[in-house]
Amino acid sequence: MKLMGMDAVYKALADPTRRDILRLLKDGEKTAGQLAERFDISGPSMSHHFNLLKAADLVFTRREGQQIFYALNTTVFQDVLTAIMDLLHTGEPVPDRPDTESGRETAPRTRHRKGES
């Protein structure tokens, strides 16, 4: 996914109403009306949220007569997770974590430069 696409995704995910819409869609597709009735906001505001979700490619839409159905685009969520993991990976070794079985912390690894012991 291109950077501009990721910016649109981050913008879409930044709003709690849009995150709530996505949560409602996790159980399957819903019409715009079914989604809108769950929120106490105006029609134009709901339309704005739907448009941002579509622009970020987070939802698929299909029209059936006058109804517009929305469904999650899970492929984009996989791309987002990959991008976040790439942001977190620095190329450095992962620091030691507490040993979960014994509850004790493992000793940190010592890094040596080439030629040192």
Side-chain angles (χ1 to χ4, degrees):
M1 178 172 274
K2 294 177 182 168
L3 183 58
M4 282 179 67
M6 288 305 297
D7 288 345
V9 169
Y10 295 141
K11 179 179 180 177
L13 293 175
D15 184 86
T17 299
R18 291 189 287 273
R19 291 192 306 268
D20 287 342
I21 292 169
L22 295 172
R23 279 188 204 98
L24 290 170
L25 291 172
K26 74 178 179 168
D27 297 325
E29 74 174 11
K30 295 190 177 17
T31 66
Q34 290 171 319
L35 292 165
E37 71 187 16
R38 304 291 300 266
F39 299 91
D40 189 26
I41 59 177
S42 71
S45 291
M46 281 303 296
S47 182
H48 174 73
H49 289 301
F50 292 147
N51 286 332
L52 286 172
L53 290 170
K54 286 191 294 187
D57 210 20
L58 290 168
V59 295
F60 292 120
T61 60
R62 70 177 178 87
R63 183 177 286 276
E64 198 172 286
Q66 291 195 357
Q67 299 283 339
I68 299 175
F69 289 82
Y70 289 87
L72 286 179
N73 180 357
T74 55
T75 302
V76 171
F77 285 99
Q78 293 170 345
D79 293 344
V80 169
L81 289 175
T82 299
I84 290 171
M85 295 304 290
D86 287 346
L87 285 173
L88 297 176
H89 184 264
T90 62
E92 296 292 320
V94 177
D96 291 327
R97 302 195 186 262
D99 180 22
T100 55
E101 289 182 21
S102 68
R104 62 185 171 85
E105 199 167 310
T106 58
R109 291 183 215 143
T110 307
R111 292 171 129 180
H112 296 285
R113 290 190 181 140
K114 209 175 199 179
E116 293 182 356
S117 27

